[in-house]
Amino acid sequence: RLLVKTIEMGGSSCMKFGQWISMRPDVIAGDIIQALTQLRQDAPSHSFKHTRKQIETSFGKKLEEIFEEIDEKPVASGTIAQVHRARLKPEYALKGHDGKMITEVAVKVQHPAVIAETFVDIDIMFKGASLILPVPFSKSEFVAGMQRQINFEWEAYNLLKFKKNFKEEIVNGEIIFPEVSRELLAPQVLVEGWVNGHTISELFDGKNPCTTNEKGPKFTEKRSVEDLKVDRSKFHRLKQYKQKMGDWAKTVFNANVKMFLKHNFVHGDMHAGNVMVSEDHPGSVVVIDAGCTCKLEEVVRPKFETFLNAMCEGNSEQIADTLIDFNKKDTKQANISKFKTSITTTVKKFVGAPGQAPDGEPVKIGALLTAVMKELQKHEMMLRSDVAMSLVTLGLTEGLIKQLDPTFDCVKSVYRYLIGEHLKEQENLKLANVLGQW
């Protein structure tokens, strides 16, 4: 608690620093990781006076010239910015993929002094942190990541790129990325289409939808009548959505496989708070907050795919060898040998026959990744940052998928995807040969 409180007092850059560290279980101890995940919760909000000033300074217009109305109270606040609900004047309306005009929007406004806090104390922060724990990324990596996250033009770029990459799925109603205003866009202000719905985390506050309990949460002396009404409302809403959750899990899985294996452009923070279900389009999954993305260097991609395949098959030798290739530290040979042995033992706990756990159930990739990360830390190894971020993102996504559908078999689904892509390649090759002969 003291660590988290100290980091929060350090401002936005310190909190982002803590969030980055929390995504490196290959280097940082589990209890510290657990504490630092609290930094992803709601952060303090700034005044509406600052929101008004930032919008008017960014666009050179009065607030009333842009918006019909804007809620002074933010609907959410994070380490970098807060979000207000608003309605645009018709001349600033956004055009949806279906041609309809959108005036209901979310306005993301950066907190005051974020830029100053971010770059003034980075040297001090790195020196101080290195005295108490191993910093699992370079200063240049952190600065580059912060520069992108505090410039909302990058987030707009990410959203537009995701919309392009998933054009077919958007038309089919499987997935939604919010529309972005290119006209009302600045480094400190982002205007995007409002999503009328609920985050997955909000829905699951209503407890497990698979329960046989039909009435929902029970009354206790510790829970007020109003709280009970809210909890039961969430519970019944969740029960209504229960039959769609398997489809949502499949959509999240398909989207991530495509991000990882086809586009090499991955949403880096796809947890239950950043995935929504829309009341207007209940069959669609809505992905928000695209400020954090990750990608692998091209030279690493083949080895990363080999690693994923080895994880699915339980090939401990290949898992160990690829992780050793990804190791950035000058690790002692004795530790490397012990690491190989420990990986063999670890993998046997999670994988029996290829694609199956020892008990015949689907392999729990997230749990296996966590165990492997612990072995990396134990044997004083450190993964290259692009691989580490990708693996943490993979584990985060599997957790969301399992939350939506505990029976979903990620390993079998990966196999199906790879086989499907292989068949497509073969068909394209045949077509190319026919055209070549013609």
Side-chain angles (χ1 to χ4, degrees):
R1 271 189 240 167
L2 179 61
L3 174 65
V4 172
K5 195 69 180 174
T6 303
I7 290 172
E8 286 176 339
M9 289 173 67
S12 60
S13 59
C14 284
M15 287 194 280
K16 275 295 171 188
F17 188 84
Q19 288 175 352
W20 274 44
I21 287 175
S22 76
M23 297 184 77
R24 292 305 301 267
D26 57 318
V27 184
I28 307 300
D31 55 344
I32 295 177
I33 294 282
Q34 189 62 37
L36 293 176
T37 54
Q38 295 174 40
L39 293 169
R40 298 186 189 183
Q41 308 304 317
D42 280 353
S45 59
H46 61 248
S47 69
F48 186 71
K49 183 180 178 181
H50 172 74
T51 290
R52 172 183 282 274
K53 181 181 177 182
Q54 188 65 75
I55 292 172
E56 292 181 348
T57 302
S58 296
F59 304 129
K61 295 178 184 292
K62 288 287 185 185
L63 199 71
E64 290 76 15
E65 294 179 66
I66 302 170
F67 301 103
E68 294 281 5
E69 59 180 298
I70 180 169
D71 291 347
E72 294 193 10
K73 185 178 178 182
V75 293
S77 180
T79 56
I80 300 294
Q82 65 190 39
V83 178
H84 296 264
R85 185 172 184 174
R87 189 166 79 249
L88 291 168
K89 285 187 172 291
E91 58 265 37
Y92 291 105
L94 314 181
K95 190 175 182 179
H97 75 274
D98 55 1
K100 293 180 180 177
M101 303 310 289
I102 300 167
T103 55
E104 295 291 323
V105 292
V107 185
K108 191 172 184 177
V109 181
Q110 195 171 105
H111 293 313
V114 163
I115 295 175
E117 287 177 2
T118 298
F119 299 110
V120 168
D121 54 0
I122 282 179
D123 282 327
I124 299 170
M125 192 166 58
F126 264 79
K127 286 175 184 175
S130 63
L131 294 175
I132 56 174
L133 46 78
V135 179
F137 40 80
S138 69
K139 187 169 73 173
S140 60
E141 285 175 326
F142 180 70
V143 170
M146 282 299 293
Q147 284 174 333
R148 291 194 174 203
Q149 289 209 27
I150 66 173
N151 185 340
F152 295 156
E153 290 171 345
W154 274 111
E155 182 169 351
Y157 167 82
N158 293 340
L159 282 168
L160 291 169
K161 188 165 182 177
F162 282 131
K163 288 174 77 67
K164 181 181 177 183
N165 290 348
F166 289 90
K167 188 175 181 180
E168 186 179 332
E169 289 84 352
I170 291 170
V171 171
N172 292 340
E174 298 168 35
I175 196 165
I176 295 172
F177 294 93
E179 298 295 341
V180 178
S181 173
R182 300 190 195 204
E183 186 177 2
L184 300 173
L185 176 62
Q188 290 85 33
V189 183
L190 175 70
V191 177
E192 58 186 9
W194 177 262
V195 178
N196 183 30
H198 315 277
T199 64
I200 299 297
S201 59
E202 284 175 340
L203 289 178
F204 274 87
D205 281 345
K207 308 306 178 194
N208 186 354
C210 299
T211 178
T212 54
N213 172 18
E214 292 298 327
K215 293 183 178 179
K218 296 179 181 178
F219 176 78
T220 66
E221 291 182 5
K222 293 181 180 179
R223 181 188 279 125
S224 70
V225 174
E226 286 304 312
D227 287 343
L228 181 66
K229 285 180 181 178
V230 170
D231 288 348
R232 283 188 175 170
S233 173
K234 287 179 179 177
F235 176 84
H236 290 301
R237 192 183 301 133
L238 190 61
K239 294 287 280 187
Q240 290 171 6
Y241 283 132
K242 178 182 171 183
Q243 61 189 23
K244 295 185 176 72
M245 287 189 177
D247 293 334
W248 295 341
K250 186 178 178 182
T251 299
V252 171
F253 171 83
N254 288 341
N256 274 271
V257 169
K258 195 172 180 181
M259 287 178 187
F260 271 104
L261 300 181
K262 188 170 184 179
H263 299 140
N264 189 28
F265 186 74
V266 183
H267 191 296
D269 203 18
M270 202 181 284
H271 56 72
N274 282 340
V275 177
M276 299 182 69
V277 291
S278 167
E279 290 191 351
D280 301 322
H281 308 281
S284 303
V285 167
V286 187
V287 182
I288 61 173
D289 200 355
C292 177
T293 58
C294 59
K295 63 180 295 184
L296 294 162
E297 287 188 21
E298 287 302 319
V299 70
V300 175
R301 288 184 70 185
K303 286 183 180 178
F304 187 81
E305 290 178 19
T306 297
F307 171 78
L308 291 182
N309 192 56
M311 290 277 285
C312 294
E313 293 182 348
N315 187 333
S316 56
E317 184 178 353
Q318 207 165 50
I319 290 171
D321 286 343
T322 48
L323 289 173
I324 291 165
D325 283 342
F326 294 149
N327 180 35
K328 280 181 65 177
K329 256 187 174 180
D330 187 16
T331 308
K332 296 175 183 176
Q333 188 56 46
N335 278 5
I336 294 290
S337 300
K338 289 178 182 176
F339 173 71
K340 285 186 171 185
T341 304
S342 68
I343 287 295
T344 300
T345 305
T346 300
V347 170
K348 283 181 180 177
K349 292 178 184 177
F350 292 92
V351 187
Q356 286 189 328
D359 61 2
E361 292 292 312
V363 176
K364 295 180 175 66
I365 293 292
L368 176 53
L369 277 174
T370 301
V372 166
M373 292 287 197
K374 285 180 180 177
E375 293 303 321
L376 285 162
Q377 183 195 20
K378 180 180 172 183
H379 294 90
E380 299 179 358
M381 296 171 69
M382 182 189 292
L383 296 177
R384 48 182 295 152
S385 58
D386 56 345
V387 171
M389 294 289 278
S390 295
L391 291 179
V392 170
T393 300
L394 197 65
L396 197 68
T397 304
E398 197 224 20
L400 172 60
I401 291 168
K402 288 292 188 182
Q403 191 175 13
L404 289 168
D405 182 1
T407 66
F408 194 92
D409 191 335
C410 290
V411 174
K412 275 188 181 177
S413 299
V414 166
Y415 281 145
R416 287 193 198 107
Y417 179 87
L418 292 174
I419 290 168
E421 288 300 301
H422 177 70
L423 291 174
K424 282 181 190 175
E425 285 179 12
Q426 294 299 311
E427 286 301 316
N428 289 338
L429 199 59
K430 285 179 185 175
L431 179 60
N433 286 335
V434 169
L435 289 173
Q437 290 169 10
W438 180 76

